Amino acid sequence: MKRILVTGGAGFLGSHLCDRLLADGNDVICLDNLFTGSKDNIRHLLVNPYFEYIRHDVTEPIQLEVDQIYNLACPASPIHYQYNPIKTANTSVLGAINMLELARKTNARILQASTSEVYGNPQIHPQPESYWGSVNPIGIRSCYDEGKRMAETLFFDYHRQYDVDIRVIRIFNTYGPRMNPSDGRVVSNFIVQAIRGEALTVYGTGTQTRSFCYVDDLIDGMVRMMETEDFLGPVNLGNPEEFTMMNLAKKIINLTGSNSHIVHAKLPSDDPVQRQPIIDLAMEMLDWKPSISLDDGLQRTIAYFRKIL
Ligand SMILES: NC(=O)c1ccc[n+]([C@@H]2O[C@H](COP(=O)([O-])OP(=O)(O)OC[C@H]3O[C@@H](n4cnc5c(N)ncnc54)[C@H](O)[C@@H]3O)[C@@H](O)[C@H]2O)c1
């Protein structure tokens, strides 16, 4: 049994990760300041004697005895990370330093949840890990994108300088139950609008593309990366199948049986036109690829939103 710390453990991905690690027989500490996460996401775990919740902010140091650290704490949706951009940058950078210091002191292996946003508005498509990205350093998304890039830098410097045992994953759009219904991410937005019979808001013409990975697939890749030897990453984790926003909107209207129609709104600034991972490295090094289809994943997510709305 390993003692595993999950920062951001009360969030969307973090809570699914806690479920998975407990199911695998580990002792799990979930650390979260509940900025975007919720106790509702972990309420079912609070009775488990191998689960512990600590309300704490990763920008402050903490001393714990752990064998592994998954560092997920950071608001992930534009609405939330732009709410207090300086805090977002602090969470990424100071959070990374505090968790890397903890890993250094306890000899724990530490995994960073980085993001496809490190590629910015990519000049090459699809994106391999070797691409260095095209990021605006002074835009409204920079607090998140540059914060995550700096966190990657810190991870590799702690590895080179102090031999900390690091793993870095770059997560592409992931969706599923426990997404925050009001955080403005496209899948949850469309599903909530369709269930409520409201118009689905497509930004711009809707020809921009994204790839969507179901949460269970993503968590499986994340755990594989933590457990793999002699491979630090960064590694892309996501679903390489690409869909336009119009495609997605129509699919969700069909799957919910909604009467909603589609309206177009202004494209937000710095919104990437295309985003699609190359996952050859994950396939080769982790023997991983997504297995849940968009239709299947959307159906499970729609069922969740019907229950909570
Ligand atoms: N979901 C995705 O598609 C996606 C894509 C790329 C990267 N990621 C990364 O994965 C991680 C989890 O994302 P998510 O989708 O679950 O988002 P989320 O907002 O649901 O989860 C983030 C969690 O971190 C907590 N948190 C935020 N700031 C904190 C702080 N200062 N101290 C302690 N806790 C704090 C929040 O309360 C929340 O529970 C994030 O680091 C995000 O950048 C997610």
Side-chain angles (χ1 to χ4, degrees), residues 138-153:
I138 58 167
I140 56 170
R141 300 173 77 105
S142 313
C143 59
Y144 183 74
D145 302 3
E146 297 287 23
K148 288 284 187 179
R149 285 168 69 92
M150 188 65 213
E152 285 199 13
T153 306

Side-chain angles (χ1 to χ4, degrees), residues 76-188:
S77 73
I79 292 180
H80 289 126
Y81 71 63
Q82 287 164 14
Y83 171 75
N84 183 345
I86 295 170
K87 172 75 186 187
T88 300
N90 275 335
T91 295
S92 269
V93 177
L94 296 178
I97 292 172
N98 288 330
M99 290 308 122
L100 284 161
E101 283 295 331
L102 181 62
R104 183 181 164 202
K105 282 184 196 124
T106 54
N107 261 329
R109 180 174 289 178
I110 179 166
L111 178 145
Q112 168 68 358
S114 190
T115 168
S116 56
E117 301 288 338
V118 299
Y119 300 123
N121 197 347
Q123 309 297 305
I124 62 165
H125 187 79
Q127 295 83 47
E129 291 82 352
S130 54
Y131 179 52
W132 290 352
S134 166
V135 178
N136 175 359
I138 58 167
I140 56 170
R141 300 173 77 105
S142 313
C143 59
Y144 183 74
D145 302 3
E146 297 287 23
K148 288 284 187 179
R149 285 168 69 92
M150 188 65 213
E152 285 199 13
T153 306
L154 284 161
F155 266 67
F156 278 86
D157 281 335
Y158 265 78
H159 174 68
R160 283 185 286 256
Q161 204 167 327
Y162 298 125
D163 207 20
V164 172
D165 191 12
I166 61 156
R167 299 287 181 274
V168 176
I169 59 170
R170 292 182 179 153
I171 304 171
F172 283 67
N173 269 352
T174 301
Y175 70 98
R178 302 190 198 141
M179 290 181 93
N180 185 327
S182 57
D183 71 5
R185 285 194 250 189
V186 64
V187 173
S188 45

Side-chain angles (χ1 to χ4, degrees), residues 124-294:
I124 62 165
H125 187 79
Q127 295 83 47
E129 291 82 352
S130 54
Y131 179 52
W132 290 352
S134 166
V135 178
N136 175 359
I138 58 167
I140 56 170
R141 300 173 77 105
S142 313
C143 59
Y144 183 74
D145 302 3
E146 297 287 23
K148 288 284 187 179
R149 285 168 69 92
M150 188 65 213
E152 285 199 13
T153 306
L154 284 161
F155 266 67
F156 278 86
D157 281 335
Y158 265 78
H159 174 68
R160 283 185 286 256
Q161 204 167 327
Y162 298 125
D163 207 20
V164 172
D165 191 12
I166 61 156
R167 299 287 181 274
V168 176
I169 59 170
R170 292 182 179 153
I171 304 171
F172 283 67
N173 269 352
T174 301
Y175 70 98
R178 302 190 198 141
M179 290 181 93
N180 185 327
S182 57
D183 71 5
R185 285 194 250 189
V186 64
V187 173
S188 45
N189 247 9
F190 284 172
I191 293 179
V192 170
Q193 289 168 330
I195 291 176
R196 291 190 173 142
E198 297 164 0
L200 274 65
T201 325
V202 170
Y203 296 113
T205 56
T207 50
Q208 69 275 34
T209 65
R210 293 289 185 278
S211 56
F212 302 99
C213 186
Y214 188 68
V215 58
D216 291 1
D217 279 333
L218 193 279
I219 297 299
D220 186 53
M222 198 185 285
V223 173
R224 278 172 192 248
M225 182 59 176
M226 180 62 111
E227 296 304 331
T228 200
E229 298 303 322
D230 305 320
F231 176 52
L232 311 182
V235 65
N236 289 339
L237 294 181
N239 195 323
E241 236 188 303
E242 207 180 8
F243 294 90
T244 66
M245 294 301 97
M246 277 306 273
N247 250 335
L248 179 72
K250 286 178 189 159
K251 211 181 242 306
I252 288 175
I253 289 176
N254 278 339
L255 289 171
T256 49
S258 167
N259 297 323
S260 297
H261 57 279
I262 293 171
V263 294
H264 294 268
K266 193 172 166 280
L267 203 62
S269 100
D270 287 346
D271 195 52
V273 180
Q274 274 182 319
R275 193 60 80 48
Q276 187 190 17
I278 292 180
I279 60 163
D280 294 4
L281 195 59
M283 284 163 61
E284 183 195 332
M285 301 303 292
L286 310 176
D287 190 23
W288 176 88
K289 67 174 185 328
S291 64
I292 297 160
S293 70
L294 185 60

